[in-house]
Amino acid sequence: MLSEVAERISPLGGWYAAVGVLVAVFVFLLSSSRDDGPPKLEERIPLSNTFEFITDTASFWKRALKTMQSLKTDIIRFRLNNRRVFLVVGESKTNPLFRSGGALSPQYYVNLLTRVMWDPSDKDMARFEADVTGRAREPAAGTEHITDRVWLEWHHVAAEHLARPAATADLAAWFIDRFTARTAELFPLAKTTDTLIWQFLHRHLTECAGRALMGDLIFEKNPDYMEIMADWDKSITPVSFGPPRWLQPKPHRARDRWLELNMRYYAEQVPKFNWDAMPDDGGWEPVFGSPLIRAIARHGLDMGYSLQTIAGMCGQQMSNQNSNSVPATGWCLIDTLTCPDPELLPNLRREARAAITPGADGTSVNLDLAKLLASPWHQAAYVETLRRHIIFTITRDAQRDTELDGFRIPKGSIVQAPMPLAHHNHAAWSVEGHPAEEFWPQRNLKDGKGGEKELSIAGRNGYWFPYGGGITICPGRNFAKQEIIVALGLLLARFDIEVGGWIMPDGTPSDRPARHGDGFVVPRPDRDLKVRMTRRW
C-alpha cells in the first residue's frame, strides 16, 4: 500500500518515496514522543494538529481550550509541521511575550505583515528586516551597532498621532461630525426605516471614519474605494498565511487592486503637496485628511523611502483603523440589541442620552466624549465585544533557548498567546448562570459608590489583551475604542430600534444568528440583523 502511494507521488520510484515517508513519520513520532515539557495537545494521527490548525482554526482553538481547562494548565504544546508550538494563557506566561529585547521576538511576523500590507520596495524592505533593535529607546542587547533604527522612528510617529488622547480626540470629533450628518441624511426625522445593521455600519461607519482619517480627495478620485478595500480586508489572512498566489489567485488580485489604488493616489499627491500650507490648527485637510497621514507621508520622505513604500504605509492606515473596529462596532450593536439581559439596553440608553443631546440645528449633536467613554455600561459592552470577537494570536519566535514560567522553550520554537483561549477561559470569565461563551456585559461590572455600577476587569491580567501589550501594543487602540463606543451611544441616543430577524447575505431569512465570517483580527458577522430604526431627533 505504501509503495502504491509512493509511486503516485514520486517520479523517481515508489520505494525511494516510501523510505522518505517512513523516515519523515519516524522523525515526527520520535520528536513528538519526548516528554520534556508541558502537556501535549493530543492528535489522532501524525500531523492532524497541523491540518486542523490550517483548515479549521476555530475548531482547533475550541479543542485546545477544552484540553487546557480539563488539564488545569496554562500552557500546552503541539507541533505545527516540524516546529514546536507552545500555547499559553495567564499573566505569568503571557506578559513575557510583551517584553522587548528578550529571547521571544515578534520581528519575523512584523516583517511578514510589513511585506504583505505595505508592499515596500526591495531596498526599503531590506532596511526594515535589518533593524532588529526593537522599538524601545535603548536597542536590544547585542544590537547596539545598528544605527538605522527605522522601527523606533516609526514608533515615534504612531505614538505621537495615535496613542496620545488629544490626537485621537480630534480624530473622533471629525468622525462624529460626519457620522451624525450621514445618519440624519439616511434616516428622516420620525420616519421608520427598515435597516440591515451590518450592511449599514459596514458602508457608512467605515466611510465616515475613513474620510476623517484619510481626507475626502482619495474617495472622490476613487469611487470604488470602499469596494476595493472590502475585498482586501477579506484577503489579508489568506494572503499573509495561506497558500501561494498560484493556488489562490483571487485574494492576491484583491491585494494588487488595493496597492495599485494607493500607489496611484500617493504617487500623485505626495510630490506636489504644499507642506507649508497646513491648517492653522494643524488639523484636518482634504488631501491627506488627519495629521497622522500627513505625518506618515512626511516621515517616509525624511527617511528616504520610495513612493511605493510611502503609498503602502499611508494607504494601509485606512484598513488598519477600520477593518477591525467596524466589525467590532457591528458585533457590539448586534449583541446588545439581541442580548436577553433586561437591564442592558435601558442602562445603555440612559448613559447615551446623558452624554449626547440634540444640537441647536436639529441635525448635529452635543457630545460629552469623556462622559460617554467613562460610562460603565458602555465600557462593559465594549470589553465584552472585544473579548468574544477578537481572534488574533500574539506570536513570538524563540531566538535562543529560554524559559517561560519554569518550562524550557527551545530555540526555534513558537510561543503563542491566542486571544480565543484567554478571552474564553472559564475560570477567568464565567459567572454563575453566564458562561464565558455568552455575551453578558454585567460580568465586567461591580457595585460602586452610591449603588452605581463601575467597570471591573480586575483579576483578569493575562486573560484580556485585545490590543497586545508592551511597546508593540496597537497604537490605534484609543481611536478604535472611541469609534465603537461613540457609534453605539449615538445610535441608542438618537434612535428607537426594533429588532426583526436574521438575514442571509442573499437577503433571505436565516434560521440562526450570526457567527464569525471572514476577517483578520475581528471577523465580520456572516448574517445580518434586520431592524426598524426611527430617528427621535
Side-chain angles (χ1 to χ4, degrees), residues 306-357:
S306 68
L307 282 175
Q308 175 182 336
T309 302
I310 295 172
M313 295 170 74
C314 291
Q316 187 57 31
Q317 298 309 306
M318 175 65 181
S319 181
N320 288 352
Q321 291 301 305
N322 292 286
S323 61
N324 298 311
S325 59
V326 174
T329 305
W331 281 115
C332 191
L333 187 58
I334 286 171
D335 287 342
T336 293
L337 292 173
T338 57
C339 180
D341 182 355
E343 296 184 64
L344 179 61
L345 267 176
N347 279 292
L348 285 170
R349 285 199 172 99
R350 173 181 56 80
E351 290 180 344
R353 290 168 183 171
I356 304 170
T357 56

Side-chain angles (χ1 to χ4, degrees), residues 285-308:
E285 49 79 27
V287 178
F288 293 147
S290 66
L292 170 67
I293 305 303
R294 293 199 300 274
I296 292 173
R298 184 71 259 176
H299 165 75
L301 291 172
D302 293 343
M303 294 292 288
Y305 295 149
S306 68
L307 282 175
Q308 175 182 336

Side-chain angles (χ1 to χ4, degrees), residues 107-137:
Q107 198 58 45
Y108 171 82
Y109 302 95
V110 169
N111 290 338
L112 169 65
L113 294 176
T114 297
R115 185 180 293 277
V116 168
M117 295 182 175
W118 291 358
D119 188 37
S121 66
D122 291 344
K123 179 182 177 182
D124 293 335
M125 190 67 223
R127 290 178 68 183
F128 295 137
E129 291 175 333
D131 180 12
V132 293
T133 63
R135 304 186 187 196
R137 184 181 302 275

Side-chain angles (χ1 to χ4, degrees), residues 30 92 193 308 323 417 455 480 483:
L30 180 64
S92 64
T193 306
Q308 175 182 336
S323 61
L455 180 71
E483 188 174 352

Side-chain angles (χ1 to χ4, degrees), residues 384-440:
E384 194 74 343
T385 296
L386 299 192
R387 183 186 71 80
R388 293 184 72 245
H389 295 295
I390 288 186
I391 62 170
F392 195 65
T393 299
I394 306 298
T395 303
R396 301 290 186 261
D397 275 329
Q399 302 294 299
R400 57 183 181 272
D401 288 351
T402 188
E403 188 177 278
L404 186 60
D405 200 30
F407 289 103
R408 186 178 72 88
I409 307 296
K411 177 182 178 180
S413 300
I414 300 171
V415 181
Q416 294 188 322
M419 294 180 193
L421 302 190
H423 294 177
H424 290 83
N425 182 278
H426 282 211
W429 294 101
S430 289
V431 176
E432 185 177 356
H434 300 284
E437 294 81 9
E438 178 187 341
F439 179 82
W440 191 64

Side-chain angles (χ1 to χ4, degrees), residues 131-181:
D131 180 12
V132 293
T133 63
R135 304 186 187 196
R137 184 181 302 275
E138 296 299 323
T143 67
E144 294 84 358
H145 62 285
I146 298 175
T147 57
D148 190 19
R149 301 197 63 195
V150 294
W151 289 115
L152 177 62
E153 296 298 327
W154 168 252
H155 176 74
H156 287 163
V157 173
E160 173 67 17
H161 295 281
L162 271 179
R164 287 192 311 110
T168 53
D170 288 341
L171 191 55
W174 301 324
F175 151 66
I176 291 163
D177 288 345
R178 286 161 176 76
F179 190 58
T180 300

Side-chain angles (χ1 to χ4, degrees), residues 61-116:
W61 292 139
K62 288 179 181 178
R63 186 163 63 89
L65 179 61
K66 184 177 180 180
T67 299
M68 296 179 87
Q69 293 181 160
S70 66
L71 297 176
K72 297 181 179 179
T73 180
D74 283 348
I75 180 169
I76 59 173
R77 60 189 165 109
F78 75 102
R79 295 193 75 89
L80 184 62
N81 292 319
N82 65 337
R83 295 191 70 181
R84 293 184 182 92
V85 181
F86 297 84
L87 303 179
V88 302
V89 297
E91 183 175 10
S92 64
K93 296 179 180 64
T94 300
N95 284 356
L97 276 64
F98 300 138
R99 296 172 189 156
S100 59
L104 300 175
S105 170
Q107 198 58 45
Y108 171 82
Y109 302 95
V110 169
N111 290 338
L112 169 65
L113 294 176
T114 297
R115 185 180 293 277
V116 168

